[in-house]
């Protein structure tokens, strides 16, 4: 039988597909409570023309509204890519218990690649646990495809414009 | 004549009063474009039962919606307290040009007190400038009052409960 980590990361991966179809960088996320999916979200930054609309921020917003509380103490997050600084900060603010992420983000990952936010954030008696590299290949495959296609599109556009 | 920095920080201070009246930690913020106030916001975390509802995040959300763009390139933020990790990350994500803040936050300020987010964030060709300590005393006075009153209230509650 599939373990829970795989099950929840697969649900986050389903969300990446929705982002991809919307021409967004394909990042997906679910928040889990009592071993059940509480909310699902995917990146909507371009669709909403809003810098805040990362999958993790949308998921936290949905979870707070659904629960009617700013504290998501006993909830875990599954996200396909290592969170950035904003999202890591939002995870701390909402008191999420543990973050499971898929692919590492060497350019802007704030959990362990470029920073160590969960261990360096002060002023809170709350420490977020984390585990990276879950279904890493599956989580990075669609992102790689997305960026290759974007590069091709940009190249074509440049050629068509005669530059 | 009053300089622009003082004018905009006074506008942010007006927002703290609204937060205080709503029994929120009194933090206020304005975002400025072309030397005019573009949006105003104050902390609404408890009112909205939502961990994301810091003044800065609400202001960025409003500004993106109003502009119809995720990039707030030529805008500056005035906020009464040094931003936390989440808000500093949101400032980077939205490409805000410069942050002016009032009081330093020794316990969780991510700009210069506990962290150095604007200088350590990688993966973006965008560096946010900042200047702290603007109208510092005025910005911290209402916060001090708020925390003293909260402490008194908690003490009274404890005594009334006979503990």
């Amino acid at each position: 039988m599939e373990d829970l980590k795989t099950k929840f990361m697969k649900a986050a991966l389903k969300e990446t597909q929705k982002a991809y179809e919307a021409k967004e960088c394909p990042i997906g996320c679910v928040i889990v409570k009592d071993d059940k999916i509480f909310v699902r979200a995917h990146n909507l930054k371009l669709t909403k023309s809003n810098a805040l609309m990362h999958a993790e921020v949308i998921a936290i917003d949905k979870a707070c509204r659904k629960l009617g509380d700013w504290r998501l103490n006993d909830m875990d997050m599954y996200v396909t890519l290592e969170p950035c600084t904003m999202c890591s900060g939002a995870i701390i603010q909402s008191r999420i218990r543990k973050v499971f992420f898929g692919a590492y983000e060497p350019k802007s990952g704030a959990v362990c690649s470029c920073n160590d936010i969960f261990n360096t954030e002060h002023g809170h008696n709350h420490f977020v646990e984390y585990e990276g590299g879950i279904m890493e290949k599956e989580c990075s495959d669609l992102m790689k495809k997305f960026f290759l296609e974007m590069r091709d599109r940009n190249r074509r556009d440049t050629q068509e414009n005669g530059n």
Side-chain angles (χ1 to χ4, degrees), chain A:
Chain A
M1 210 188 88
E2 187 174 81
D3 67 11
L4 284 175
K5 267 195 272 187
T6 309
K7 176 183 160 180
F8 295 136
M9 194 55 89
K10 277 188 180 171
L13 274 163
K14 264 198 181 169
E15 291 296 309
T16 65
Q17 193 61 41
K18 296 182 199 166
Y20 179 78
E21 283 161 19
K23 297 194 182 0
E24 297 275 358
C25 183
I27 301 162
C29 173
V30 297
I31 293 179
V32 170
K33 178 177 158 63
D34 301 330
D35 290 341
K36 287 192 187 106
I37 293 172
F38 191 63
V39 295
R40 301 165 195 262
H42 56 276
N43 178 26
L44 283 172
K45 176 174 148 178
L46 302 179
T47 309
K48 300 278 187 192
S49 300
N50 191 323
L52 304 172
M53 296 292 113
H54 286 196
E56 300 95 312
V57 167
I58 299 173
I60 290 171
D61 187 52
K62 281 186 179 181
C64 289
R65 286 170 197 263
K66 190 169 171 181
L67 190 70
D69 198 330
W70 63 268
R71 298 172 208 87
L72 309 178
N73 284 312
D74 55 352
M75 300 199 198
D76 299 326
M77 177 184 280
Y78 288 75
V79 57
T80 55
L81 186 70
E82 182 184 350
C84 72
T85 301
M86 171 178 73
C87 294
S88 300
I91 287 162
I92 294 168
Q93 289 297 328
S94 62
R95 306 282 189 274
I96 280 178
R97 185 172 52 189
K98 184 163 180 174
V99 175
F100 298 87
F101 66 84
Y104 292 86
E105 170 47 283
K107 282 197 285 186
S108 59
V111 175
C112 54
S113 293
C114 296
N115 214 323
D116 184 23
I117 289 293
F118 294 156
N119 292 315
T120 55
E121 168 84 15
H122 304 274
H124 297 288
N125 294 322
H126 175 70
F127 293 94
V128 182
E129 291 179 75
Y130 73 88
E131 191 179 326
I134 295 158
M135 301 184 72
E136 190 174 359
K137 190 185 171 308
E138 292 88 336
C139 286
S140 56
D141 276 352
L142 193 58
M143 287 205 49
K144 280 183 193 155
K145 189 177 170 208
F146 171 82
F147 283 112
L148 277 175
E149 286 172 354
M150 195 171 74
R151 228 164 290 160
D152 282 350
R153 211 163 37 234
N154 290 345
R155 198 163 40 220
R156 265 201 315 278
D157 288 351
T158 310
Q159 284 168 350
E160 279 169 16
N161 291 327
N163 295 318

